[in-house]
Amino acid sequence: ITDLKAAALRQRLQQDEKHELSVKMSEMMKMAADRNEESNGLKARVATLEEELESCKSQLGERHHAIDALIEEFDFFRSSTLAEAQDQLDEMSAVVELQQKQLG
């Protein structure tokens, strides 16, 4: 009878161990699935951020181009305005010199 009890206890222990291993295995599989899902979510987020970065780079390039165009336009305006002012100054200087010669 004791051999039967010992065998039954061994069988019960083995079943308990198998059950514990099965529970642990299920938990680990769920954790692995959760981590895989989290990893896929992070990969999607990285892809989204990369797209946003490319968009920002494009916008920045457009802004640099617009700024360069404004600088060129300003430089042209400044130089043409300076040239016009110099021409007017030369004309006024010539008039003043002529008046001074006439006065005497």
mmCIF file of all heavy atoms in Angstrom, residues 3-46:
data_model
loop_
_atom_site.group_PDB
_atom_site.id
_atom_site.type_symbol
_atom_site.label_atom_id
_atom_site.label_comp_id
_atom_site.label_asym_id
_atom_site.label_seq_id
_atom_site.Cartn_x
_atom_site.Cartn_y
_atom_site.Cartn_z
ATOM 1 N N ASP A 3 3.813 1.607 -1.306
ATOM 2 C CA ASP A 3 4.370 1.762 -2.647
ATOM 3 C C ASP A 3 3.350 2.427 -3.573
ATOM 4 O O ASP A 3 3.705 3.261 -4.411
ATOM 5 C CB ASP A 3 4.787 0.404 -3.225
ATOM 6 C CG ASP A 3 6.051 -0.144 -2.573
ATOM 7 O OD1 ASP A 3 6.793 0.669 -1.985
ATOM 8 O OD2 ASP A 3 6.292 -1.348 -2.670
ATOM 9 N N LEU A 4 2.109 2.035 -3.406
ATOM 10 C CA LEU A 4 1.052 2.645 -4.213
ATOM 11 C C LEU A 4 0.894 4.126 -3.865
ATOM 12 O O LEU A 4 0.719 4.974 -4.742
ATOM 13 C CB LEU A 4 -0.285 1.931 -3.996
ATOM 14 C CG LEU A 4 -0.414 0.546 -4.627
ATOM 15 C CD1 LEU A 4 -1.744 -0.088 -4.225
ATOM 16 C CD2 LEU A 4 -0.320 0.643 -6.132
ATOM 17 N N LYS A 5 0.965 4.427 -2.560
ATOM 18 C CA LYS A 5 0.855 5.820 -2.134
ATOM 19 C C LYS A 5 2.042 6.632 -2.651
ATOM 20 O O LYS A 5 1.874 7.761 -3.118
ATOM 21 C CB LYS A 5 0.775 5.924 -0.613
ATOM 22 C CG LYS A 5 -0.547 5.530 -0.035
ATOM 23 C CD LYS A 5 -0.544 5.744 1.467
ATOM 24 C CE LYS A 5 -1.875 5.341 2.084
ATOM 25 N NZ LYS A 5 -1.905 5.531 3.538
ATOM 26 N N ALA A 6 3.242 6.060 -2.570
ATOM 27 C CA ALA A 6 4.436 6.748 -3.041
ATOM 28 C C ALA A 6 4.350 6.985 -4.548
ATOM 29 O O ALA A 6 4.690 8.063 -5.051
ATOM 30 C CB ALA A 6 5.686 5.946 -2.691
ATOM 31 N N ALA A 7 3.874 5.983 -5.284
ATOM 32 C CA ALA A 7 3.740 6.118 -6.737
ATOM 33 C C ALA A 7 2.697 7.188 -7.064
ATOM 34 O O ALA A 7 2.882 8.001 -7.981
ATOM 35 C CB ALA A 7 3.343 4.777 -7.356
ATOM 36 N N ALA A 8 1.614 7.190 -6.300
ATOM 37 C CA ALA A 8 0.564 8.180 -6.520
ATOM 38 C C ALA A 8 1.093 9.587 -6.212
ATOM 39 O O ALA A 8 0.807 10.543 -6.934
ATOM 40 C CB ALA A 8 -0.654 7.861 -5.662
ATOM 41 N N LEU A 9 1.879 9.694 -5.125
ATOM 42 C CA LEU A 9 2.468 10.989 -4.779
ATOM 43 C C LEU A 9 3.436 11.455 -5.856
ATOM 44 O O LEU A 9 3.445 12.632 -6.232
ATOM 45 C CB LEU A 9 3.182 10.901 -3.427
ATOM 46 C CG LEU A 9 2.296 10.970 -2.189
ATOM 47 C CD1 LEU A 9 3.132 10.727 -0.923
ATOM 48 C CD2 LEU A 9 1.621 12.321 -2.090
ATOM 49 N N ARG A 10 4.274 10.506 -6.361
ATOM 50 C CA ARG A 10 5.212 10.846 -7.424
ATOM 51 C C ARG A 10 4.461 11.307 -8.669
ATOM 52 O O ARG A 10 4.826 12.311 -9.308
ATOM 53 C CB ARG A 10 6.090 9.633 -7.771
ATOM 54 C CG ARG A 10 7.369 9.629 -6.991
ATOM 55 C CD ARG A 10 8.324 8.546 -7.497
ATOM 56 N NE ARG A 10 8.525 7.662 -6.355
ATOM 57 C CZ ARG A 10 8.265 6.380 -6.291
ATOM 58 N NH1 ARG A 10 7.832 5.740 -7.328
ATOM 59 N NH2 ARG A 10 8.473 5.701 -5.196
ATOM 60 N N GLN A 11 3.407 10.573 -8.989
ATOM 61 C CA GLN A 11 2.614 10.933 -10.155
ATOM 62 C C GLN A 11 1.968 12.308 -9.951
ATOM 63 O O GLN A 11 1.942 13.139 -10.851
ATOM 64 C CB GLN A 11 1.534 9.878 -10.409
ATOM 65 C CG GLN A 11 0.779 10.121 -11.691
ATOM 66 C CD GLN A 11 -0.226 9.008 -11.972
ATOM 67 O OE1 GLN A 11 -0.502 8.170 -11.123
ATOM 68 N NE2 GLN A 11 -0.768 9.016 -13.175
ATOM 69 N N ARG A 12 1.477 12.551 -8.744
ATOM 70 C CA ARG A 12 0.860 13.846 -8.421
ATOM 71 C C ARG A 12 1.903 14.969 -8.517
ATOM 72 O O ARG A 12 1.643 16.037 -9.067
ATOM 73 C CB ARG A 12 0.255 13.769 -7.011
ATOM 74 C CG ARG A 12 -0.322 15.021 -6.462
ATOM 75 C CD ARG A 12 -1.629 15.375 -7.159
ATOM 76 N NE ARG A 12 -2.073 16.688 -6.790
ATOM 77 C CZ ARG A 12 -3.132 16.934 -6.054
ATOM 78 N NH1 ARG A 12 -3.877 15.948 -5.627
ATOM 79 N NH2 ARG A 12 -3.467 18.174 -5.784
ATOM 80 N N LEU A 13 3.115 14.726 -7.979
ATOM 81 C CA LEU A 13 4.189 15.707 -8.067
ATOM 82 C C LEU A 13 4.565 15.992 -9.527
ATOM 83 O O LEU A 13 4.772 17.141 -9.911
ATOM 84 C CB LEU A 13 5.422 15.245 -7.291
ATOM 85 C CG LEU A 13 5.341 15.358 -5.771
ATOM 86 C CD1 LEU A 13 6.573 14.702 -5.130
ATOM 87 C CD2 LEU A 13 5.262 16.816 -5.363
ATOM 88 N N GLN A 14 4.656 14.943 -10.320
ATOM 89 C CA GLN A 14 4.984 15.124 -11.731
ATOM 90 C C GLN A 14 3.901 15.935 -12.444
ATOM 91 O O GLN A 14 4.201 16.816 -13.259
ATOM 92 C CB GLN A 14 5.155 13.760 -12.413
ATOM 93 C CG GLN A 14 6.446 13.055 -12.046
ATOM 94 C CD GLN A 14 6.537 11.671 -12.661
ATOM 95 O OE1 GLN A 14 5.538 11.110 -13.139
ATOM 96 N NE2 GLN A 14 7.733 11.080 -12.630
ATOM 97 N N GLN A 15 2.650 15.649 -12.116
ATOM 98 C CA GLN A 15 1.551 16.408 -12.721
ATOM 99 C C GLN A 15 1.605 17.879 -12.291
ATOM 100 O O GLN A 15 1.405 18.775 -13.104
ATOM 101 C CB GLN A 15 0.198 15.790 -12.331
ATOM 102 C CG GLN A 15 -0.093 14.480 -13.028
ATOM 103 C CD GLN A 15 -1.379 13.828 -12.518
ATOM 104 O OE1 GLN A 15 -1.902 14.193 -11.464
ATOM 105 N NE2 GLN A 15 -1.864 12.851 -13.266
ATOM 106 N N ASP A 16 1.892 18.089 -10.984
ATOM 107 C CA ASP A 16 2.010 19.464 -10.490
ATOM 108 C C ASP A 16 3.167 20.198 -11.180
ATOM 109 O O ASP A 16 3.027 21.361 -11.567
ATOM 110 C CB ASP A 16 2.208 19.486 -8.968
ATOM 111 C CG ASP A 16 0.942 19.105 -8.204
ATOM 112 O OD1 ASP A 16 -0.138 19.048 -8.845
ATOM 113 O OD2 ASP A 16 1.033 18.877 -6.986
ATOM 114 N N GLU A 17 4.308 19.507 -11.323
ATOM 115 C CA GLU A 17 5.452 20.111 -11.988
ATOM 116 C C GLU A 17 5.133 20.418 -13.446
ATOM 117 O O GLU A 17 5.470 21.496 -13.949
ATOM 118 C CB GLU A 17 6.675 19.183 -11.898
ATOM 119 C CG GLU A 17 7.311 19.145 -10.530
ATOM 120 C CD GLU A 17 8.452 18.141 -10.451
ATOM 121 O OE1 GLU A 17 8.697 17.405 -11.432
ATOM 122 O OE2 GLU A 17 9.096 18.090 -9.394
ATOM 123 N N LYS A 18 4.466 19.474 -14.125
ATOM 124 C CA LYS A 18 4.079 19.703 -15.515
ATOM 125 C C LYS A 18 3.123 20.884 -15.610
ATOM 126 O O LYS A 18 3.247 21.719 -16.513
ATOM 127 C CB LYS A 18 3.407 18.450 -16.097
ATOM 128 C CG LYS A 18 4.364 17.357 -16.459
ATOM 129 C CD LYS A 18 3.625 16.172 -17.057
ATOM 130 C CE LYS A 18 4.568 15.028 -17.363
ATOM 131 N NZ LYS A 18 3.860 13.856 -17.907
ATOM 132 N N HIS A 19 2.192 20.966 -14.656
ATOM 133 C CA HIS A 19 1.245 22.075 -14.662
ATOM 134 C C HIS A 19 1.974 23.406 -14.427
ATOM 135 O O HIS A 19 1.719 24.392 -15.130
ATOM 136 C CB HIS A 19 0.157 21.861 -13.597
ATOM 137 C CG HIS A 19 -0.827 22.982 -13.522
ATOM 138 N ND1 HIS A 19 -1.760 23.200 -14.499
ATOM 139 C CD2 HIS A 19 -0.996 23.968 -12.604
ATOM 140 C CE1 HIS A 19 -2.465 24.260 -14.187
ATOM 141 N NE2 HIS A 19 -2.026 24.748 -13.032
ATOM 142 N N GLU A 20 2.886 23.417 -13.448
ATOM 143 C CA GLU A 20 3.656 24.640 -13.177
ATOM 144 C C GLU A 20 4.482 25.033 -14.396
ATOM 145 O O GLU A 20 4.545 26.220 -14.770
ATOM 146 C CB GLU A 20 4.580 24.437 -11.975
ATOM 147 C CG GLU A 20 3.882 24.505 -10.638
ATOM 148 C CD GLU A 20 4.859 24.327 -9.471
ATOM 149 O OE1 GLU A 20 5.991 24.848 -9.567
ATOM 150 O OE2 GLU A 20 4.473 23.680 -8.497
ATOM 151 N N LEU A 21 5.124 24.055 -15.043
ATOM 152 C CA LEU A 21 5.904 24.335 -16.244
ATOM 153 C C LEU A 21 4.998 24.861 -17.359
ATOM 154 O O LEU A 21 5.362 25.794 -18.083
ATOM 155 C CB LEU A 21 6.645 23.085 -16.715
ATOM 156 C CG LEU A 21 7.872 22.687 -15.897
ATOM 157 C CD1 LEU A 21 8.410 21.338 -16.385
ATOM 158 C CD2 LEU A 21 8.958 23.739 -16.009
ATOM 159 N N SER A 22 3.833 24.269 -17.482
ATOM 160 C CA SER A 22 2.888 24.711 -18.503
ATOM 161 C C SER A 22 2.436 26.140 -18.234
ATOM 162 O O SER A 22 2.368 26.963 -19.156
ATOM 163 C CB SER A 22 1.681 23.769 -18.520
ATOM 164 O OG SER A 22 0.718 24.215 -19.436
ATOM 165 N N VAL A 23 2.156 26.479 -16.973
ATOM 166 C CA VAL A 23 1.750 27.837 -16.604
ATOM 167 C C VAL A 23 2.887 28.817 -16.884
ATOM 168 O O VAL A 23 2.675 29.878 -17.480
ATOM 169 C CB VAL A 23 1.299 27.895 -15.123
ATOM 170 C CG1 VAL A 23 1.148 29.331 -14.653
ATOM 171 C CG2 VAL A 23 0.001 27.125 -14.929
ATOM 172 N N LYS A 24 4.106 28.446 -16.465
ATOM 173 C CA LYS A 24 5.257 29.312 -16.700
ATOM 174 C C LYS A 24 5.506 29.501 -18.192
ATOM 175 O O LYS A 24 5.826 30.600 -18.647
ATOM 176 C CB LYS A 24 6.508 28.754 -16.016
ATOM 177 C CG LYS A 24 6.511 28.943 -14.522
ATOM 178 C CD LYS A 24 7.784 28.439 -13.899
ATOM 179 C CE LYS A 24 7.732 28.632 -12.382
ATOM 180 N NZ LYS A 24 8.962 28.168 -11.741
ATOM 181 N N MET A 25 5.358 28.411 -18.944
ATOM 182 C CA MET A 25 5.559 28.481 -20.389
ATOM 183 C C MET A 25 4.511 29.413 -21.001
ATOM 184 O O MET A 25 4.848 30.241 -21.865
ATOM 185 C CB MET A 25 5.424 27.081 -21.001
ATOM 186 C CG MET A 25 5.726 27.049 -22.443
ATOM 187 S SD MET A 25 7.473 26.844 -22.625
ATOM 188 C CE MET A 25 7.474 25.642 -23.897
ATOM 189 N N SER A 26 3.272 29.310 -20.569
ATOM 190 C CA SER A 26 2.214 30.193 -21.082
ATOM 191 C C SER A 26 2.517 31.644 -20.744
ATOM 192 O O SER A 26 2.337 32.541 -21.585
ATOM 193 C CB SER A 26 0.857 29.805 -20.497
ATOM 194 O OG SER A 26 0.456 28.537 -20.948
ATOM 195 N N GLU A 27 2.966 31.882 -19.514
ATOM 196 C CA GLU A 27 3.317 33.252 -19.111
ATOM 197 C C GLU A 27 4.455 33.796 -19.966
ATOM 198 O O GLU A 27 4.425 34.942 -20.408
ATOM 199 C CB GLU A 27 3.699 33.286 -17.628
ATOM 200 C CG GLU A 27 2.539 33.094 -16.681
ATOM 201 C CD GLU A 27 2.962 32.938 -15.225
ATOM 202 O OE1 GLU A 27 4.189 32.892 -14.944
ATOM 203 O OE2 GLU A 27 2.077 32.857 -14.361
ATOM 204 N N MET A 28 5.464 32.962 -20.189
ATOM 205 C CA MET A 28 6.604 33.394 -20.994
ATOM 206 C C MET A 28 6.187 33.642 -22.443
ATOM 207 O O MET A 28 6.652 34.593 -23.074
ATOM 208 C CB MET A 28 7.731 32.366 -20.918
ATOM 209 C CG MET A 28 8.382 32.314 -19.538
ATOM 210 S SD MET A 28 9.634 31.040 -19.419
ATOM 211 C CE MET A 28 10.968 31.824 -20.283
ATOM 212 N N MET A 29 5.296 32.802 -22.966
ATOM 213 C CA MET A 29 4.813 32.992 -24.336
ATOM 214 C C MET A 29 4.027 34.298 -24.433
ATOM 215 O O MET A 29 4.172 35.040 -25.409
ATOM 216 C CB MET A 29 3.920 31.810 -24.758
ATOM 217 C CG MET A 29 4.645 30.487 -24.839
ATOM 218 S SD MET A 29 5.733 30.402 -26.249
ATOM 219 C CE MET A 29 4.584 30.007 -27.517
ATOM 220 N N LYS A 30 3.209 34.587 -23.419
ATOM 221 C CA LYS A 30 2.450 35.832 -23.412
ATOM 222 C C LYS A 30 3.396 37.024 -23.321
ATOM 223 O O LYS A 30 3.224 38.017 -24.023
ATOM 224 C CB LYS A 30 1.452 35.863 -22.256
ATOM 225 C CG LYS A 30 0.630 37.144 -22.246
ATOM 226 C CD LYS A 30 -0.542 37.088 -21.342
ATOM 227 C CE LYS A 30 -1.385 38.322 -21.297
ATOM 228 N NZ LYS A 30 -1.047 39.446 -22.092
ATOM 229 N N MET A 31 4.419 36.937 -22.453
ATOM 230 C CA MET A 31 5.391 38.017 -22.343
ATOM 231 C C MET A 31 6.115 38.228 -23.676
ATOM 232 O O MET A 31 6.327 39.363 -24.113
ATOM 233 C CB MET A 31 6.404 37.720 -21.230
ATOM 234 C CG MET A 31 5.854 37.904 -19.833
ATOM 235 S SD MET A 31 6.989 37.376 -18.506
ATOM 236 C CE MET A 31 8.479 38.219 -18.911
ATOM 237 N N ALA A 32 6.480 37.121 -24.320
ATOM 238 C CA ALA A 32 7.170 37.221 -25.615
ATOM 239 C C ALA A 32 6.247 37.869 -26.651
ATOM 240 O O ALA A 32 6.686 38.727 -27.430
ATOM 241 C CB ALA A 32 7.624 35.846 -26.087
ATOM 242 N N ALA A 33 4.982 37.486 -26.654
ATOM 243 C CA ALA A 33 4.028 38.074 -27.597
ATOM 244 C C ALA A 33 3.839 39.562 -27.309
ATOM 245 O O ALA A 33 3.784 40.386 -28.234
ATOM 246 C CB ALA A 33 2.695 37.337 -27.519
ATOM 247 N N ASP A 34 3.751 39.914 -26.012
ATOM 248 C CA ASP A 34 3.611 41.326 -25.635
ATOM 249 C C ASP A 34 4.824 42.126 -26.080
ATOM 250 O O ASP A 34 4.694 43.229 -26.617
ATOM 251 C CB ASP A 34 3.412 41.466 -24.122
ATOM 252 C CG ASP A 34 2.054 40.967 -23.642
ATOM 253 O OD1 ASP A 34 1.163 40.751 -24.500
ATOM 254 O OD2 ASP A 34 1.890 40.797 -22.419
ATOM 255 N N ARG A 35 5.995 41.574 -25.852
ATOM 256 C CA ARG A 35 7.224 42.272 -26.261
ATOM 257 C C ARG A 35 7.316 42.387 -27.775
ATOM 258 O O ARG A 35 7.764 43.403 -28.299
ATOM 259 C CB ARG A 35 8.451 41.565 -25.690
ATOM 260 C CG ARG A 35 8.585 41.797 -24.211
ATOM 261 C CD ARG A 35 9.933 41.452 -23.685
ATOM 262 N NE ARG A 35 9.999 41.805 -22.282
ATOM 263 C CZ ARG A 35 10.659 41.125 -21.388
ATOM 264 N NH1 ARG A 35 11.324 40.051 -21.753
ATOM 265 N NH2 ARG A 35 10.697 41.507 -20.135
ATOM 266 N N ASN A 36 6.881 41.346 -28.465
ATOM 267 C CA ASN A 36 6.889 41.397 -29.923
ATOM 268 C C ASN A 36 5.925 42.475 -30.410
ATOM 269 O O ASN A 36 6.259 43.246 -31.319
ATOM 270 C CB ASN A 36 6.496 40.030 -30.491
ATOM 271 C CG ASN A 36 6.711 39.941 -31.979
ATOM 272 O OD1 ASN A 36 7.638 40.524 -32.510
ATOM 273 N ND2 ASN A 36 5.838 39.219 -32.659
ATOM 274 N N GLU A 37 4.754 42.546 -29.787
ATOM 275 C CA GLU A 37 3.773 43.575 -30.146
ATOM 276 C C GLU A 37 4.329 44.968 -29.840
ATOM 277 O O GLU A 37 4.204 45.895 -30.631
ATOM 278 C CB GLU A 37 2.476 43.344 -29.363
ATOM 279 C CG GLU A 37 1.345 44.250 -29.754
ATOM 280 C CD GLU A 37 0.055 43.906 -29.026
ATOM 281 O OE1 GLU A 37 -0.187 42.720 -28.746
ATOM 282 O OE2 GLU A 37 -0.689 44.846 -28.740
ATOM 283 N N GLU A 38 4.969 45.090 -28.680
ATOM 284 C CA GLU A 38 5.584 46.367 -28.307
ATOM 285 C C GLU A 38 6.686 46.737 -29.292
ATOM 286 O O GLU A 38 6.790 47.887 -29.720
ATOM 287 C CB GLU A 38 6.148 46.260 -26.890
ATOM 288 C CG GLU A 38 6.726 47.534 -26.352
ATOM 289 C CD GLU A 38 7.267 47.372 -24.931
ATOM 290 O OE1 GLU A 38 6.766 46.511 -24.191
ATOM 291 O OE2 GLU A 38 8.193 48.111 -24.588
ATOM 292 N N SER A 39 7.478 45.754 -29.677
ATOM 293 C CA SER A 39 8.554 45.991 -30.645
ATOM 294 C C SER A 39 7.982 46.447 -31.984
ATOM 295 O O SER A 39 8.497 47.376 -32.603
ATOM 296 C CB SER A 39 9.377 44.717 -30.825
ATOM 297 O OG SER A 39 10.346 44.877 -31.828
ATOM 298 N N ASN A 40 6.916 45.800 -32.422
ATOM 299 C CA ASN A 40 6.282 46.202 -33.683
ATOM 300 C C ASN A 40 5.732 47.618 -33.581
ATOM 301 O O ASN A 40 5.839 48.399 -34.526
ATOM 302 C CB ASN A 40 5.168 45.228 -34.059
ATOM 303 C CG ASN A 40 5.708 43.882 -34.511
ATOM 304 O OD1 ASN A 40 6.863 43.768 -34.919
ATOM 305 N ND2 ASN A 40 4.884 42.856 -34.428
ATOM 306 N N GLY A 41 5.166 47.954 -32.413
ATOM 307 C CA GLY A 41 4.675 49.319 -32.199
ATOM 308 C C GLY A 41 5.800 50.334 -32.252
ATOM 309 O O GLY A 41 5.660 51.402 -32.841
ATOM 310 N N LEU A 42 6.929 49.976 -31.640
ATOM 311 C CA LEU A 42 8.087 50.874 -31.663
ATOM 312 C C LEU A 42 8.641 51.020 -33.078
ATOM 313 O O LEU A 42 9.032 52.112 -33.491
ATOM 314 C CB LEU A 42 9.171 50.365 -30.707
ATOM 315 C CG LEU A 42 8.838 50.471 -29.214
ATOM 316 C CD1 LEU A 42 9.911 49.782 -28.390
ATOM 317 C CD2 LEU A 42 8.699 51.919 -28.804
ATOM 318 N N LYS A 43 8.652 49.923 -33.828
ATOM 319 C CA LYS A 43 9.122 49.993 -35.209
ATOM 320 C C LYS A 43 8.222 50.906 -36.032
ATOM 321 O O LYS A 43 8.712 51.705 -36.840
ATOM 322 C CB LYS A 43 9.162 48.595 -35.832
ATOM 323 C CG LYS A 43 10.290 47.735 -35.319
ATOM 324 C CD LYS A 43 10.227 46.342 -35.910
ATOM 325 C CE LYS A 43 11.291 45.440 -35.303
ATOM 326 N NZ LYS A 43 11.168 44.056 -35.780
ATOM 327 N N ALA A 44 6.924 50.806 -35.803
ATOM 328 C CA ALA A 44 5.984 51.675 -36.527
ATOM 329 C C ALA A 44 6.209 53.127 -36.126
ATOM 330 O O ALA A 44 6.174 54.027 -36.968
ATOM 331 C CB ALA A 44 4.543 51.250 -36.242
ATOM 332 N N ARG A 45 6.441 53.362 -34.843
ATOM 333 C CA ARG A 45 6.681 54.735 -34.365
ATOM 334 C C ARG A 45 7.964 55.289 -34.973
ATOM 335 O O ARG A 45 8.025 56.452 -35.370
ATOM 336 C CB ARG A 45 6.755 54.738 -32.824
ATOM 337 C CG ARG A 45 7.003 56.095 -32.232
ATOM 338 C CD ARG A 45 5.814 57.016 -32.388
ATOM 339 N NE ARG A 45 6.100 58.291 -31.743
ATOM 340 C CZ ARG A 45 5.817 59.457 -32.270
ATOM 341 N NH1 ARG A 45 5.198 59.536 -33.414
ATOM 342 N NH2 ARG A 45 6.121 60.564 -31.632
ATOM 343 N N VAL A 46 9.004 54.465 -35.040
ATOM 344 C CA VAL A 46 10.271 54.885 -35.648
ATOM 345 C C VAL A 46 10.042 55.247 -37.119
ATOM 346 O O VAL A 46 10.536 56.268 -37.602
ATOM 347 C CB VAL A 46 11.356 53.791 -35.504
ATOM 348 C CG1 VAL A 46 12.546 54.058 -36.421
ATOM 349 C CG2 VAL A 46 11.819 53.688 -34.058
#
